[in-house]
Amino acid sequence: GLKPGQHKVNIKYNQSLTNLEYMVNPSSINVTIYNKVSKTKNLSVDILNQDKLDSKLVIESTNINSDKVIVKGAEHQLEQVASVKALFDVNNLVSQEVGTQTVKDVPLKAYDKNGNVVNVEIVPSKVDVEVNIVSPSKELPIKVIPNGTVAFGKAISSLETNVSKVTVYGSKDVLDSLNYIPLQIDVSGLKDDKEYKVDLSKPVGITY
């Protein structure tokens, strides 16, 4: 029955043993009660544990059944809320395969501008997230790039690889920007034919 404002409230306790005297210290606490207010906030999706997704797969998009939520709490708390996010965890996927699936009851969290959780009520507290998984790939030639200078009087007449093309997986934007996979080899001081065994490095944005 207390109204908004500051109140001094006595601490009550149950005396279970009647033959003992009890003392509570402190015997009261100060309680501040605020009016509960509400605001509408935009909702976005945060993907957790993306590194757990199969390296040949990419989450192309996520859709939520509502892009707005209501946050409730004291006015000074709501002023701290910079974003509200649905925390979708890759580990909660029904299966890791190409297609669209819905993950139900994804929890929501409110954050301030520094990324700290703000303790407010969020309505609804959970949403369903529709996840669209794709597997973009592209076949690219391998381009050998020699680094360094061969021995004096020598020159590279040819470069051959036992594999001429590879299939790469990643986001479509990255795939569209790639025309070949670079393969760096060090030829410093080289004066005879040589065979190299070199691991292919994944360009930025390529997952497999």
Side-chain angles (χ1 to χ4, degrees):
L2 297 179
K3 295 181 179 180
Q6 290 191 336
H7 305 271
K8 187 175 183 179
V9 180
N10 293 326
I11 296 176
K12 299 179 181 180
Y13 62 95
N14 294 322
Q15 188 168 329
S16 56
L17 298 176
T18 56
N19 60 338
L20 291 178
E21 288 188 9
Y22 289 84
M23 178 183 294
V24 178
N25 186 23
S27 60
S28 63
I29 58 172
N30 293 320
V31 176
T32 303
I33 297 178
Y34 297 95
N35 281 314
K36 180 182 280 189
V37 294
S38 61
K39 286 185 179 179
T40 301
K41 288 284 185 178
N42 291 329
L43 178 64
S44 59
V45 178
D46 244 9
I47 303 175
L48 308 179
N49 292 315
Q50 286 206 63
D51 58 331
K52 303 297 184 183
L53 188 67
D54 187 309
S55 55
K56 292 183 180 180
L57 301 177
V58 173
I59 295 177
E60 184 179 50
S61 63
T62 56
N63 296 305
I64 41 185
N65 53 356
S66 174
D67 61 353
K68 293 188 183 298
V69 292
I70 297 173
V71 290
K72 297 181 178 182
E75 189 165 3
H76 72 275
Q77 290 177 307
L78 299 191
E79 289 175 353
Q80 298 176 39
V81 176
S83 62
V84 181
K85 297 181 179 181
L87 304 181
F88 159 66
D89 192 331
V90 167
N91 291 322
N92 292 332
L93 285 169
V94 177
S95 61
Q96 292 200 15
E97 55 188 27
V98 173
T100 300
Q101 57 183 282
T102 299
V103 179
K104 294 187 174 295
D105 296 331
V106 175
L108 309 184
K109 290 282 186 181
Y111 297 92
D112 64 15
K113 63 180 180 180
N114 297 317
N116 300 312
V117 174
V118 182
N119 186 22
V120 292
E121 181 184 354
I122 306 173
V123 181
S125 61
K126 296 179 180 180
V127 295
D128 296 343
V129 177
E130 186 182 80
V131 184
N132 185 29
I133 300 176
V134 295
S135 182
S137 63
K138 185 178 183 179
E139 190 177 62
L140 295 172
I142 296 173
K143 181 179 180 179
V144 181
I145 303 172
N147 291 324
T149 305
V150 297
F152 180 76
K154 300 290 184 177
I156 297 174
S157 62
S158 65
L159 293 164
E160 296 178 2
T161 57
N162 66 327
V163 175
S164 61
K165 292 183 177 181
V166 291
T167 301
V168 296
Y169 296 81
S171 69
K172 186 176 183 303
D173 290 342
V174 173
L175 293 176
D176 289 343
S177 67
L178 292 176
N179 297 314
Y180 59 85
I181 294 295
L183 180 60
Q184 311 271 350
I185 59 169
D186 183 8
V187 297
S188 300
L190 186 67
K191 52 187 176 182
D192 296 306
D193 293 352
K194 184 175 180 179
E195 185 176 285
Y196 297 80
K197 185 173 180 62
V198 187
D199 291 329
L200 293 175
S201 297
K202 291 183 293 185
V204 175
I206 294 301
T207 57
Y208 189 82

